[in-house]
Amino acid sequence: NKQPFNLREKLSELERPIGLKGSELMRAETSQEARDFVSASRKNMIINGDMSVSQRGSSFANPSSTAKGHYTLDRFSFQASNTNYTVTQDTSGPHGFSRSLKVTMGTATSLDYMRLAATIEGYNFRGAKFGTSSAKHLTLSFWVKSSLTGIFAVGFRNGEDLTVNLQTSLVTTYEIYNANTWEYKTVSIPPNTNESVSWNTGIAMGMVIMWDLGDGTNRCPSINSSLNSVWQTSDTYFPLGFDETVKLASVSAATWQITGIQLEVGENATEFEHRPFGEELALCQRYYQKDDGNTGPWFTVIDGLGSNYYRTTVNMPTTMRSS
């Protein structure tokens, strides 16, 4: 008793494309995977990816040379063997972003290493399940602008911090096509299922992302080597750059800017997660806090202990990661 219908037309409807994101959603094996994919928030492991928070200041000329990392804008540090550059919180960005991190090189030089580092606490990285058979694919996305064009390197590494308990790294590339123009980049990160490698899931560093701005030849393999885009554990330096990629440090007065950084679970990048500024500031204050003089005193005298000492209490805006 049902009305007739066109079978050919119905079959053609089944062939309608659903796109990469739709395909990934349909491949979800559990309801939790589906919810994680369509979630509108809490997907970005990077804190201050829009470079809106900079409690330490807006300009950092010749940051100190240190392997442990010298912090500039909140949650972003430089691991560099020289001090011949300046970092600023720039008031420009692509559409949707009002701030960016800008690096301006001084006089060109050959370096041992020069990298922008974004560290991710183990608690925030544990959902990637690296170091297990259930490790997930990750995608890094960001906006970048430079006075130089060509192929640049970006690397990923484990460890307790930038120098301790390093066991593995992966280095890959992205390309800037037009000088002084904002361009959107995505980088695919294969899951690391090596169970002999330790990935912290507590207050220590879970993963660090490093954009190579001047790593020397002794630290870099060839871009044509078998180490390109592969997790490896054999190199003493655990490389984060390639010999043939563009090095900001090699060009006097060269500039490089970045903003809109997002690291998320999945094989495809999604739109940047914009969090409220107050929330982003609180996330940053877990690692560094500064009384700006306008929000009231942090220190309150409780009582005196004899004639030379006073006991005080410190009212932190948020609980810090460690002492």
Side-chain angles (χ1 to χ4, degrees):
N1 296 327
K2 294 182 179 180
Q3 294 296 320
F5 62 89
N6 189 314
L7 181 59
R8 190 184 303 276
E9 181 179 308
K10 293 297 182 182
L11 289 174
S12 66
E13 291 179 359
L14 296 177
E15 298 174 355
R16 290 178 181 175
I18 58 176
L20 291 174
K21 295 180 181 180
S23 296
E24 186 168 344
L25 178 60
M26 292 185 68
R27 287 198 302 270
E29 296 182 356
T30 66
S31 58
Q32 181 62 52
E33 287 184 3
R35 285 195 296 270
D36 290 343
F37 181 76
V38 302
S39 174
S41 64
R42 305 302 182 272
K43 61 185 177 183
N44 191 1
M45 300 183 202
I46 300 295
I47 296 174
N48 199 31
D50 63 356
M51 306 299 173
S52 59
V53 182
S54 189
Q55 297 181 83
R56 297 172 180 84
S58 58
S59 181
F60 309 85
N62 305 320
S64 61
S65 173
T66 173
K68 288 289 187 180
H70 183 98
Y71 274 93
T72 54
L73 279 66
D74 281 64
R75 304 308 304 136
F76 290 91
S77 64
F78 278 79
Q79 189 184 43
S81 58
N82 83 316
T83 62
N84 188 27
Y85 62 98
T86 299
V87 180
T88 56
Q89 184 190 37
D90 198 79
T91 56
S92 67
H95 293 304
F97 298 91
S98 60
R99 296 289 186 275
S100 59
L101 183 152
K102 182 176 183 179
V103 186
T104 303
M105 190 61 198
T107 303
T109 183
S110 296
L111 300 177
D112 187 15
Y113 54 88
M114 181 180 177
R115 310 149 176 167
L116 171 66
T119 55
I120 304 168
E121 185 178 339
Y123 278 125
N124 299 331
F125 185 70
R126 58 186 174 180
K129 300 181 182 179
F130 272 34
T132 74
S133 59
S134 302
K136 298 183 178 181
H137 201 109
L138 302 178
T139 298
L140 173 71
S141 57
F142 55 92
W143 286 90
V144 66
K145 174 182 176 181
S146 178
S147 61
L148 308 178
T149 60
I151 298 175
F152 292 71
V154 58
F156 310 85
R157 197 159 65 183
N158 78 328
E160 293 181 24
D161 57 29
L162 300 188
T163 62
V164 177
N165 197 28
L166 311 180
Q167 297 174 302
T168 188
S169 74
L170 179 146
V171 58
T172 187
T173 62
Y174 64 95
E175 187 170 0
I176 295 179
Y177 299 97
N178 303 292
N180 302 312
T181 303
W182 284 108
E183 295 180 357
Y184 181 68
K185 307 299 175 184
T186 63
V187 174
S188 180
I189 308 161
N192 188 312
T193 57
N194 187 345
E195 296 183 3
S196 65
V197 172
S198 173
W199 296 88
N200 293 307
T201 57
I203 64 171
M205 186 185 81
M207 172 189 272
V208 62
I209 306 170
M210 289 186 171
W211 288 264
D212 170 30
L213 299 176
D215 274 21
T217 55
N218 65 316
R219 291 184 177 273
C220 297
S222 169
I223 197 170
N224 299 313
S225 73
S226 61
L227 298 184
N228 192 335
S229 303
V230 176
W231 287 106
Q232 60 85 36
T233 57
S234 59
D235 194 295
T236 302
Y237 290 115
F238 300 109
L240 296 162
F242 292 117
D243 281 341
E244 301 89 343
T245 53
V246 177
K247 309 290 184 180
L248 193 79
S250 65
V251 180
S252 297
T255 60
W256 183 87
Q257 288 175 254
I258 192 168
T259 193
I261 304 173
Q262 181 157 284
L263 179 68
E264 59 190 309
V265 171
E267 298 182 27
N268 300 293
T270 62
E271 292 75 13
F272 181 79
E273 177 186 353
H274 285 281
R275 291 184 285 250
F277 178 80
E279 181 179 345
E280 206 71 43
L281 175 60
L283 291 173
C284 292
Q285 287 175 332
R286 173 169 171 78
Y287 307 92
Y288 177 85
Q289 300 180 14
K290 180 179 179 180
D291 185 355
D292 62 7
N294 298 317
T295 56
W298 285 11
F299 297 89
T300 303
V301 175
I302 298 177
D303 54 24
L305 301 177
S307 60
N308 297 320
Y309 301 96
Y310 293 90
R311 182 166 58 196
T312 65
T313 181
V314 182
N315 298 307
M316 296 293 188
T318 187
T319 302
M320 301 193 76
R321 181 186 71 89
S322 65
S323 59

